[in-house]
């Protein structure tokens, strides 16, 4: 026997988190658009303009680097919130505990069996989503390290406008990528493939959020905009 | 376990590519004194060859002024202060004190050619001519048993003092037995190991000797590798490029004559004075790169205007070498100067990973399981398309099935 239960409002993303989310969206789109140009310039500049007036590649590289730095900064912020979030510490959702495993497979099962079974508390971030985001953050760290390796190759003199410590740090933290991914070119290959992985990640992420909103009827998609979702009250609570 | 730990330590402590061009007053004063001592020591030694540099130079029409100009340019190339110029000039005169044994393995003799067959001998090549070349199969008059005898004598006589120049890759796979040298049928690997045992240092010239080069290109039928994969426990200097620039060979020998030591090397054992900078960062077409002005196809307006060759597959942005600075044939020209892109010939695996006339995104890569070759972008787009198809199917199925299922779980 079904009873109508009232919706409740659950705040899931603070304004800060939402700002980070959308800043990341803009930065990643900018990085993909400019990165594709850097890897293979896909539009041409006007031949009639003198070269001094147009820095098409240079602007693309500048935007790409700024987008990357933006993502890096938000990543550090996110890493901090992973551990310190006062609401629900996301890293705790990554521990392979029984509870998390149940959540994880429940969500995956729901997706693949077109179901809306909710055998866990859906008001909180679920384990599958936490895992999916952790994957993105790993991808971003990967892009950070391979990208900075390409960047430090232009700082051969060991100098930079902010001192010698900067190239030094880049060498120490990223030189290993050369041996692991097969030299200067290998690093470029995997950086470029990493971009495709992030695009695929995004596609799946958006789809799952829409699907879930329609199927689970908890208004999940609203989280990224208004910060809250609206699940029905649980039976005990209603 | 300890092996793995060592490998990890090596991974994170490898010499990086930073070039230190100014080490301070004290360092250079000290170095100057050491070089002086070394040179006077060498001068006291009997020359190994009777060729006199200045006579040869005069015969070829170079006067003292030309020679000093060359010496100051070479001093700059070695990243030494200009006060070292007289020492470098003196070291060039004393090059005939250093015995050199030059062997060829899986190669095309291109590096030997590079130093012999320039349009007219330049000072770099002449200076290399006067090194005391004790053994070089292609250049020496004797052959067969006589040549081998000469080699044995040189090995005996200059034990621990000679520089071993190696040109060509070493087959260590199935091809090991196909490649032998001399009447005794010694394999290339054994030959190299025997000759490097008593060498002062081993210099690998050309991309084949350094990283395996063309013989090691996929599918690497002979199992070719470079010198540093075979010789252990010896100082090794790599001078890659196809062919290696004679200016860099002279630089390495001069550095050895001058200081008795090998120059500072990067993690791939390449001397930093030559391989410390990217081609791209000193390229004459760089302004066009930044402006986004590219040659779109061979012979177009962009090509006529010396536009950047990036879209024609120039690999200058990922290649460390000094050809954009010293060029070839005494600064006459170089690949990008003549209007074709860099093929990254001084980087490991250049034949497979760099030498194609497309930008990196269109490079063919191998799937991890081998076989099918797809370009980086095709691979990425393929994965993306597969995801899109998967999502499409899921969405369609959701629309079909979705209406029927009801919420279950806690409220069922
Ligand atoms: S031609 Fe090659 S090395 Fe020169 S600027 Fe263009 S990409 Fe760089």
């Amino acid at each position: 026997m079904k009873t109508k239960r009232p919706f409740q409002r659950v705040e899931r993303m603070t304004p800060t988190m939402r700002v980070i989310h959308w800043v990341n969206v803009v930065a990643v789109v900018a990085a993909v658009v400019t990165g594709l140009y850097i890897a293979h310039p896909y539009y041409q500049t006007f031949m009639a303009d003198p070269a001094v007036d147009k820095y098409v590649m240079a602007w693309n590289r500048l935007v790409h680097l700024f987008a990357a730095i933006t993502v890096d900064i938000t990543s550090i912020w996110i890493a901090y919130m992973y551990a310190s979030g006062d609401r629900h510490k996301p890293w705790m959702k990554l521990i392979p505990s029984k509870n998390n495993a149940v959540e994880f497979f429940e969500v995956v099962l729901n997706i693949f069996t077109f179901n809306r079974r909710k055998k866990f508390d859906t008001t909180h971030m679920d384990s599958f989503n936490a895992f999916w985001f952790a994957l993105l953050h790993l991808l971003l760290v990967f892009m950070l390290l391979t990208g900075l390796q390409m960047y430090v190759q232009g700082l051969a003199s060991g100098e930079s406008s902010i001192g010698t410590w900067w190239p030094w740090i880049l060498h120490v933290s990223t030189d290993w990528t050369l041996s692991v991914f097969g030299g200067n070119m290998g690093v470029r290959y995997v950086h470029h493939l990493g971009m495709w992985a992030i695009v695929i990640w995004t596609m799946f992420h958006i789809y799952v959020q829409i699907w879930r909103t329609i199927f689970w009827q908890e208004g999940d998609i609203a989280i990224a905009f208004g910060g809250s979702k609206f699940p029905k009250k649980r039976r005990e609570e209603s | 376990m300890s092996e793995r730990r060592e490998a990890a330590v090596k991974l994170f402590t490898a010499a990086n590519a930073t070039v230190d061009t100014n080490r301070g007053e004290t360092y250079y004063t000290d170095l100057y004194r050491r070089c002086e001592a070394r040179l006077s020591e060498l001068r006291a030694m009997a020359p190994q060859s009777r060729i006199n540099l200045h006579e040869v130079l005069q015969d070829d029409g170079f006067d003292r002024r030309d020679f000093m100009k060359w010496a100051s340019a070479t001093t700059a190339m070695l990243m030494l202060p200009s006060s070292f110029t007289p020492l470098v000039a003196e070291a060039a005169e004393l090059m005939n004190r250093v015995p050199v044994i030059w062997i060829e393995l899986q190669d095309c003799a291109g590096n030997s050619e590079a130093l012999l067959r320039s349009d007219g001998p330049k000072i770099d090549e002449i200076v290399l001519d006067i090194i005391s070349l004790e053994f070089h199969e292609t250049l020496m008059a004797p052959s067969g048993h006589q040549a081998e005898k000469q080699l044995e004598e040189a090995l005996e006589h200059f034990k621990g003092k000679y520089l071993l120049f190696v040109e060509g890759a070493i087959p260590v796979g199935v091809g090991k037995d196909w490649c032998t040298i001399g009447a005794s049928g010694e394999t290339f690997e054994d030959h190299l190991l025997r000759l490097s045992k008593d060498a002062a240092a081993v210099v690998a010239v050309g991309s084949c000797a350094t990283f395996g080069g063309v013989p090691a290109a996929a599918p690497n039928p002979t199992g070719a590798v470079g010198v540093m994969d075979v010789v252990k426990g010896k100082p090794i200097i790599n001078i890659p490029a196809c062919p290696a620039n004679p200016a860099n060979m002279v630089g390495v020998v001069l550095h050895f004559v001058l200081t008795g030591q090998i120059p500072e090397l990067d993690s791939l054992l390449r001397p930093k004075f030559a391989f410390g900078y990217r081609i791209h960062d000193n390229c004459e077409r760089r302004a066009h790169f930044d402006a986004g002005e590219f040659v779109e196809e061979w012979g177009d307006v962009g090509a006529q205007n010396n536009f950047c060759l990036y879209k024609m597959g120039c690999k200058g942005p990922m290649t460390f070498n000094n050809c954009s600075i010293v060029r070839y044939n005494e600064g006459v020209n170089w690949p990008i100067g003549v209007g074709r892109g860099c093929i990254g010939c001084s980087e490991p695996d250049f034949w497979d990973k760099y030498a194609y006339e497309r930008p990196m995104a269109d490079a063919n890569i191998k799937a991890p399981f081998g076989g099918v070759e797809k370009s980086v972008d095709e691979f990425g787009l393929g994965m993306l398309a597969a995801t899109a198809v998967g999502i499409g199917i899921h969405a369609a199925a959701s629309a079909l099935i979705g209406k029927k299922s009801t919420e279950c779980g806690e409220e069922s």
Side-chain angles (χ1 to χ4, degrees):
Chain A
M1 177 71 204
K2 268 190 113 186
T3 45
K4 280 239 178 263
R5 284 176 286 120
F7 287 101
Q8 57 173 336
R9 181 194 176 102
V10 185
E11 199 197 19
R12 283 283 303 277
M13 281 173 96
T14 60
T16 325
M17 289 161 83
R18 275 176 281 150
V19 167
I20 289 180
H21 177 262
W22 290 107
V23 165
N24 266 354
V25 170
V26 174
V28 167
V29 169
V32 169
V33 169
T34 53
L36 280 170
Y37 180 86
I38 296 166
H40 182 166
Y42 51 83
Y43 53 86
Q44 295 178 27
T45 47
F46 288 116
M47 293 270 280
D49 289 349
V52 287
D53 288 346
K54 48 178 184 196
Y55 288 112
V56 176
M57 175 58 95
W59 281 116
N60 269 291
R61 296 185 63 225
L62 189 83
V63 171
H64 192 79
L65 286 175
F66 272 100
I69 289 171
T70 311
V71 174
D72 296 344
I73 291 173
T74 55
S75 293
I76 293 171
W77 208 335
I78 291 168
Y80 168 73
M81 292 200 304
Y82 252 72
S84 76
D86 52 341
R87 25 199 70 237
H88 23 254
K89 298 188 170 69
W91 66 266
M92 288 168 67
K93 289 283 176 194
L94 293 172
I95 305 169
S97 68
K98 183 157 175 265
N99 221 346
N100 286 341
V102 168
E103 261 182 47
F104 184 94
F105 288 111
E106 270 301 303
V107 178
V108 174
L109 265 180
N110 272 328
I111 291 174
F112 284 102
T113 57
F114 311 99
N115 231 325
R116 27 188 78 138
R117 192 167 65 175
K118 295 173 193 164
K119 276 194 174 164
F120 57 95
D121 183 3
T122 54
T123 54
H124 290 180
M125 175 185 244
D126 63 74
S127 225
F128 178 75
N129 227 5
F131 169 79
W132 192 244
F133 268 93
L135 201 66
L136 175 72
H137 297 141
L138 287 181
L139 269 174
L140 290 179
V141 168
F142 172 78
M143 297 302 268
L144 163 82
L145 293 173
T146 48
L148 286 177
Q149 171 57 37
M150 291 189 253
Y151 170 67
V152 78
Q153 294 183 350
L155 302 174
S157 60
E159 303 276 352
S160 78
S161 55
I162 46 172
T164 51
W165 60 272
W166 174 233
W168 182 83
I169 265 186
L170 296 187
H171 277 301
V172 169
S173 56
T174 70
D175 272 0
W176 60 271
T177 56
L178 289 176
S179 347
V180 173
F181 301 119
N184 303 341
M185 196 55 107
V187 166
R188 280 167 174 83
Y189 286 169
V190 293
H191 190 79
H192 200 68
L193 287 172
M195 180 270 301
W196 287 115
I198 289 178
V199 172
I200 290 170
W201 185 96
T202 313
M203 203 154 139
F204 185 75
H205 165 67
I206 296 174
Y207 177 71
V208 165
Q209 298 311 328
I210 294 176
W211 184 86
R212 197 178 153 140
T213 307
I214 298 174
F215 255 65
W216 290 25
Q217 294 174 350
E218 295 187 343
D220 284 273
I221 201 114
I223 297 174
F225 301 94
S228 309
K229 67 184 269 182
F230 304 92
K232 284 179 188 157
K233 279 227 170 78
R234 300 197 135 217
R235 180 154 289 174
E236 316 85 70
E237 297 160 4
S238 58
Chain B
M1 187 61 214
S2 70
E3 247 174 56
R4 231 183 286 159
R5 207 176 59 224
E6 246 169 61
V9 168
K10 218 172 124 202
L11 191 60
F12 286 97
T13 52
N16 69 43
T18 308
V19 189
D20 193 354
T21 46
N22 188 357
R23 290 153 191 279
E25 195 67 35
T26 21
Y27 175 84
Y28 289 115
T29 342
D30 189 49
L31 183 68
Y32 196 92
R33 229 172 283 129
R34 266 189 291 138
C35 292
E36 269 182 331
R38 159 101 179 150
L39 288 180
S40 58
E41 204 178 287
L42 281 180
R43 192 168 282 288
M45 277 165 56
Q48 304 299 338
S49 78
R50 256 158 295 286
I51 309 173
N52 179 301
L53 175 64
H54 291 291
E55 280 168 23
V56 186
L57 283 176
Q58 221 152 36
D59 290 348
D60 281 309
F62 295 102
D63 55 22
R64 174 94 192 149
R65 198 178 139 75
D66 291 326
F67 177 62
M68 288 316 288
K69 273 194 328 209
W70 171 87
S72 59
T74 305
T75 311
M77 186 182 88
L78 290 173
M79 296 180 178
L80 293 170
S82 54
S83 58
F84 276 68
T85 309
L87 290 189
V88 168
E90 196 182 342
E93 288 156 12
L94 295 175
M95 290 255 277
N96 55 5
R97 261 72 165 184
V98 177
V100 167
I101 292 177
W102 182 301
I103 56 170
E104 286 183 52
L105 305 172
Q106 251 184 330
D107 74 327
C108 67
N111 299 289
S112 304
E113 291 286 332
L115 106 160
L116 296 172
R117 302 267 194 274
S118 46
D119 56 342
K122 303 293 187 230
I123 298 185
D124 278 330
E125 285 96 48
I126 294 170
V127 170
L128 273 189
D129 266 357
I130 74 148
I131 53 176
S132 150
L133 208 47
E134 294 303 321
F135 182 82
H136 188 308
E137 288 124 345
T138 315
L139 301 185
M140 63 203 291
S143 61
H145 289 294
Q146 276 175 315
E148 273 186 52
K149 188 155 163 282
Q150 192 160 334
L151 176 62
E152 297 315 320
E153 280 171 9
L155 287 180
E156 184 59 38
H157 194 71
F158 302 110
K159 203 169 176 169
K161 281 194 224 125
Y162 62 89
L163 286 177
L164 179 67
F165 274 65
V166 184
E167 186 183 357
I170 305 99
V172 295
V174 274
K176 190 177 161 137
D177 302 323
W178 308 339
C179 305
T180 61
I181 205 158
S184 60
E186 197 177 24
T187 65
F188 283 3
E189 192 183 4
D190 295 340
H191 190 60
L192 173 64
L193 284 173
R194 180 163 65 91
L195 266 55
S196 60
K197 207 168 84 223
D198 292 322
V202 184
V203 186
V205 276
S207 288
C208 299
T210 49
F211 311 123
V214 178
N220 194 353
T222 59
V225 296
V227 170
M228 62 180 172
D229 299 316
V230 173
V231 178
K232 303 282 173 213
K234 276 276 160 204
I236 296 175
I237 308 157
N238 283 335
I239 314 179
C242 191
N245 198 327
N248 295 338
M249 300 186 211
V250 176
V252 167
V253 181
L254 260 183
H255 195 284
F256 183 74
V257 172
L258 194 58
T259 62
Q261 286 159 357
I262 60 175
E264 197 188 349
L265 307 175
D266 69 6
S267 61
L268 292 171
L269 306 184
R270 303 179 294 194
K272 282 188 182 176
F273 73 79
F275 298 92
Y277 294 93
R278 278 189 308 176
I279 288 181
H280 186 58
D281 290 330
N282 293 299
C283 175
E284 61 222 22
R285 301 189 181 212
R286 178 62 189 262
H288 292 297
F289 175 85
D290 288 336
E293 293 179 331
F294 302 106
V295 176
E296 303 286 337
E297 60 184 77
W298 298 124
D300 68 0
V301 181
Q304 285 159 20
N305 284 293
N306 294 341
F307 280 8
C308 169
L309 295 155
Y310 187 57
K311 280 179 88 169
M312 300 309 290
C314 178
K315 301 300 180 301
M318 32 296 225
T319 305
F320 283 79
N321 205 338
N322 59 354
C323 24
S324 47
I325 308 170
V326 302
R327 305 180 163 202
Y328 280 85
N329 293 336
E330 200 90 341
V332 171
N333 214 336
W334 66 300
I336 291 173
V338 301
R340 67 111 43 255
C342 162
I343 57 169
C345 70
S346 56
E347 293 292 334
D349 304 327
F350 89 94
W351 196 256
D352 294 332
K353 287 189 183 160
Y354 296 76
Y356 42 83
E357 290 169 349
R358 301 179 296 279
M360 175 278 298
D362 305 331
N364 278 348
I365 47 165
K366 278 216 174 61
F369 36 85
V372 202
E373 279 197 359
K374 283 265 168 276
S375 86
V376 183
D377 267 349
E378 281 167 357
F379 190 76
L381 273 172
M383 300 293 281
L384 190 67
T387 317
V389 168
I391 287 179
I393 293 175
H394 190 269
S398 299
L400 275 180
I401 305 166
K403 294 196 191 86
K404 295 178 204 145
S405 77
T406 48
E407 274 191 38
C408 47
E410 95 250 27
E411 63 256 69
S412 58

